[in-house]
Amino acid sequence: MPTRISSQLNNNQTQYNLRRQEVKRAKIDNQIGTQSRISSLRDDPIAAGHLVKYQSYLTRVNNFEKNATTLSDQYLYREGYMRNSLEIMQRVRELAVTGANGIYTKDDMRNMAVEVNELLGELIQNANAVAPDGNSLFAGTNSNIRAFDVDMGAVEGSTVPLISAVHYNGSIEQNKIEVDENKYITVETAGNRIFWAENQRLFGGRDAREWQAQNDSVISVDGQKIAVEAGDNVYALVSKINASGAAVKASLDPVTHGLNFTTTDARQLWLEDVSGSALNELGIIKDSSQHPPYNIGDSVKVSGGSLFDTVIALRDAMFAGDSEAIGGRVLASLDSGVNTLVNRVAKSGSEYERLQNDMTRNSAVALNVTGQISREGDLDLTKAITDEKMLEYTQNATLSNAGKMYSSTLLNYMR
């Protein structure tokens, strides 16, 4: 069958080839401009899939490094104030040892008490320190409030009101910050743990032997939620508390038969009825209108205080000239407080070193992943320029041939 030939056929073929060459040149120009050889998935589906994964992982690694850097700065600020507080406590202890000698006059003791009171103010100032971003360093997750408030009161031997009590305003919640893939650092910034001197003990004053939970409820012990089921007695409750993972041991007092609590390290107990009223019924805490940590029941006896309580006790004993109290209970409490603060500083230092290691590792990982991204997606610039020149030569040749072709038509051929 004869094929029909016209001058339009050559025109269409030439235009089609020119458009293809222009598309190829535009693609190479775009690759050169972006320095990437992959502009769409169909350019290299396998490499594009790898590239997406690598870029996603690099973003996460950069976030891990940023988290570790931010935390490192916070640890430096906190540790600086903690170390200064340790120096204050060591000076307070020196004064306590001096005051316990029993060879100084009342005036001498009063002068030492004045210095202790100034050191107390400096210690509270450290506990209420804020970071450069304005957030409180020792208020737990309530970082926008003042960590500790003070009460002023009359003290025997002083002619002016002095600090009589220090109250914690923050929370005990802990932040978990991701510093590597599924690896977290638990950040403890609760001031009622960092600035606590002794293990706290609570002695319930209400006989709990006949107590039984009437309804299902939930209690919170140092942030650990514990389910109490209807029908549970005090022995079941003690068992659940001790198995909860909280740094607290519960027991039934063999004499008073009240429910007792003891922390396993120096901290202030945080007790709450999340739902129901189990702890309130046992007389351990007040009703739900009162919030921890100052919701302990009136019949409960409490021992074990903060660093501030210890320094206040020393100051008051010095004003009273009671060297016997200083050499006994007060000095023992001070030793416990200094040891606790040393442990807190050591823990902070070890966590800071871990963050430094995380930062170093994440920096190296980011560099390696960047190399993989470059291998999969970066453009071979030399090859791209060579290909572009070849397309330019081809396009010029096509245009030259088209010019010659359009000078003769089918009509000219028939003539």
Side-chain angles (χ1 to χ4, degrees):
M1 184 175 181
T3 302
R4 188 175 179 183
I5 300 175
S6 69
S7 58
Q8 188 64 27
L9 177 62
N10 288 333
N11 178 58
N12 290 341
Q13 289 287 346
T14 301
Q15 293 294 327
Y16 172 73
N17 289 327
L18 285 172
R19 296 292 83 77
R20 286 190 63 188
Q21 292 165 9
E22 289 173 359
V23 169
K24 290 181 179 179
R25 284 196 66 183
K27 179 180 177 181
I28 292 179
D29 287 340
N30 181 65
Q31 289 176 335
I32 293 174
T34 61
Q35 297 291 301
S36 174
R37 69 183 182 87
I38 301 176
S39 56
S40 63
L41 290 176
R42 58 188 172 186
D43 291 339
D44 189 340
I46 294 178
H50 291 165
L51 193 60
V52 170
K53 291 180 181 178
Y54 293 153
Q55 288 173 337
S56 174
Y57 184 64
L58 179 61
T59 299
R60 297 200 303 277
V61 169
N62 287 335
N63 286 335
F64 298 152
E65 188 174 3
K66 186 183 298 184
N67 288 346
T69 301
T70 302
L71 274 180
S72 293
D73 292 341
Q74 293 177 359
Y75 270 101
L76 281 177
Y77 301 138
R78 278 196 296 272
E79 188 173 335
Y81 284 107
M82 290 165 66
R83 286 185 179 277
N84 183 249
S85 298
L86 181 58
E87 293 173 2
I88 292 171
M89 291 301 298
Q90 288 170 339
R91 174 56 183 163
V92 169
R93 188 185 183 282
E94 290 175 4
L95 291 171
V97 172
T98 303
N101 287 334
I103 61 174
Y104 293 96
T105 65
K106 288 187 175 181
D107 288 339
D108 292 333
M109 295 286 280
R110 189 176 297 109
N111 291 334
M112 285 189 284
V114 171
E115 182 179 352
V116 170
N117 189 67
E118 291 300 319
L119 293 171
L120 172 64
E122 190 174 354
L123 186 65
I124 296 171
Q125 180 178 328
N126 285 348
N128 282 327
V130 296
D133 58 5
N135 290 329
S136 180
L137 291 174
F138 302 108
T141 55
N142 293 345
S143 57
N144 59 343
I145 67 171
R146 185 181 177 88
F148 292 92
D149 281 338
V150 300
D151 290 341
M152 305 297 291
V155 175
E156 181 183 353
S158 173
T159 58
V160 296
L162 300 176
I163 297 171
S164 59
V166 181
H167 304 289
Y168 181 60
N169 292 323
S171 69
I172 61 169
E173 282 77 19
Q174 299 174 332
N175 285 325
K176 289 187 175 181
I177 308 299
E178 192 172 14
V179 294
D180 204 347
E181 201 72 35
N182 296 319
K183 294 181 181 179
Y184 299 83
I185 281 186
T186 301
V187 184
E188 184 177 286
T189 57
N192 68 339
R193 295 176 180 175
I194 295 172
F195 291 94
W196 211 256
E198 303 168 299
N199 294 20
Q200 191 172 64
R201 294 176 174 83
L202 269 59
F203 302 94
R206 184 177 300 177
D207 191 332
R209 288 176 296 178
E210 302 301 323
W211 176 84
Q212 189 173 46
Q214 302 301 311
N215 302 292
D216 291 347
S217 59
V218 177
I219 66 172
S220 176
V221 179
D222 261 7
Q224 292 285 344
K225 290 183 172 57
I226 302 168
V228 181
E229 299 176 357
D232 282 351
N233 58 21
V234 69
Y235 301 101
L237 181 60
V238 166
S239 178
K240 288 183 175 182
I241 293 172
N242 291 337
S244 68
V248 175
K249 293 300 179 184
S251 63
L252 193 66
D253 194 285
V255 178
T256 65
H257 307 295
L259 182 60
N260 296 343
F261 292 87
T262 303
T263 62
T264 57
D265 63 353
R267 66 178 64 211
Q268 185 179 33
L269 265 169
W270 199 279
L271 302 173
E272 189 175 9
D273 278 324
V274 179
S275 66
S277 57
L279 292 178
N280 175 252
E281 292 170 7
L282 289 163
I284 301 299
I285 64 173
K286 300 173 184 177
D287 59 57
S288 57
S289 65
Q290 306 295 316
H291 301 289
Y294 302 104
N295 60 342
I296 304 302
D298 295 331
S299 63
V300 176
K301 295 180 180 179
V302 181
S303 69
S306 66
L307 295 177
F308 315 112
D309 296 331
T310 301
V311 178
I312 289 172
L314 172 62
R315 180 204 62 195
D316 293 352
M318 284 182 166
F319 271 125
D322 191 350
S323 58
E324 184 177 344
I326 296 172
R329 174 182 52 83
V330 173
L331 192 56
S333 181
L334 279 172
D335 285 339
S336 177
V338 169
N339 290 336
T340 297
L341 197 51
V342 167
N343 292 336
R344 302 296 189 198
V345 172
K347 182 174 182 292
S348 176
S350 63
E351 290 174 343
Y352 174 79
E353 289 301 323
R354 176 187 171 184
L355 285 170
Q356 294 300 303
N357 292 334
D358 287 333
M359 289 167 58
T360 302
R361 182 181 62 255
N362 287 330
S363 180
V365 170
L367 186 61
N368 292 336
V369 176
T370 301
Q372 292 174 316
I373 291 173
S374 177
R375 182 191 66 202
E376 295 290 352
D378 283 3
L379 180 69
D380 185 341
L381 192 58
T382 302
K383 182 178 182 301
I385 292 175
T386 302
D387 291 344
E388 185 181 37
K389 285 297 182 182
M390 290 299 298
L391 283 172
E392 183 181 349
Y393 296 149
T394 303
Q395 189 176 34
N396 290 337
T398 302
L399 290 171
S400 177
N401 289 333
K404 295 175 182 179
M405 180 183 67
Y406 292 151
S407 65
S408 61
T409 65
L410 182 60
L411 181 60
N412 293 333
Y413 174 78
M414 293 175 65
R415 286 175 181 173

